[in-house]
Every structure is written in C-alpha cells, then in structure tokens.
C-alpha cells in the first residue's frame, strides 16, 4: 500500500508543471470579465463556452506576468497579442 502512494507521489513530483498557467484568481477575473462582456452578444451558454475556451488558450501561452505585460499595452496591441485565442474559440462555439 505504501509503495502505491510512493509511486504516485514520485510521479507527481517528476511530471513537469505548465510554466504558462494563470493563478486561480487571474483565471476567475479573466473569465468574469469575458463573460460579462460576451453574454450580451452570444447568450449565456455560448458565452460560458467561449470564455472558458479563451481563458484556457491564453493560459497556455502566457504566464501571469506575461499577461500583465500584454494588458498594459495599447488596445490595438492587446487585440493583436490575444487574437489567436478569440479566433480559435469563436470556431468552437459556432
């Protein structure tokens, strides 16, 4: 029994964590902001799916610090840097 848990613990420690993930707080804030803005255009169900997808895609590419840098830019540059996620997720909800 102990060997089983030791193996699980070792695997957990060996498997690398994603280096580009958001903190739970940033993930929630991004989702809430996205949902509030998207719900009026997409409806509640599509907005939920779209925003979940978008936050996940952004999390795959940016860390918290990198995302802060993105959102401290001019609006045109923010759109350019995050457009990949919105285009990908638009296709999913269609």
């Amino acid at each position: 029994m102990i060997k089983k848990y030791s193996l699980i613990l070792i695997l957990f420690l060996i498997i690398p964590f994603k280096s580009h993930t958001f903190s739970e707080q940033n993930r929630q804030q991004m989702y809430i902001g996205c949902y509030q803005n998207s719900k009026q255009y997409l409806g509640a169900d599509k907005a939920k799916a779209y925003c979940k997808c978008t936050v996940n895609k952004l999390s795959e590419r940016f860390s918290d610090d990198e995302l802060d840098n993105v959102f401290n830019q001019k609006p045109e540059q923010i759109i350019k840097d995050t457009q990949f996620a919105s285009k990908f997720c638009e296709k999913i909800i269609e």
Side-chain angles (χ1 to χ4, degrees):
M1 190 81 155
I2 292 175
K3 287 183 182 182
K4 180 180 178 181
Y5 290 112
S6 296
L7 180 61
I8 293 170
L9 179 61
I10 290 169
L11 288 174
F12 179 77
L13 295 173
I14 292 175
I15 297 172
F17 294 101
K18 286 184 181 178
S19 61
H20 296 293
T21 58
F22 296 152
S23 67
E24 188 58 33
Q25 181 181 5
N26 277 350
R27 193 175 272 283
Q28 288 176 351
Q29 288 176 347
M30 291 279 298
Y31 177 83
I32 290 168
C34 175
Y35 181 75
Q36 289 174 346
N37 291 323
S38 301
K39 182 173 60 171
Q40 61 187 339
Y41 302 107
L42 301 174
D45 292 336
K46 284 187 177 182
K48 286 178 188 178
Y50 172 77
C51 292
K52 183 177 178 182
C53 175
T54 302
V55 170
N56 287 337
K57 287 310 254 183
L58 291 172
S59 178
E60 290 173 4
R61 172 133 344 148
F62 300 113
S63 67
D64 284 328
D65 291 336
E66 291 168 336
L67 191 68
D68 287 341
N69 290 335
V70 168
F71 285 116
N72 284 326
Q73 301 177 97
K74 293 181 179 180
E76 301 82 28
Q77 190 62 41
I78 295 170
I79 291 169
K80 183 179 177 184
D81 289 347
T82 60
Q83 193 172 30
F84 73 95
S86 57
K87 284 185 175 185
F88 176 84
C89 295
E90 284 172 3
K91 293 176 185 175
I92 288 178
I93 63 163
E94 290 179 347

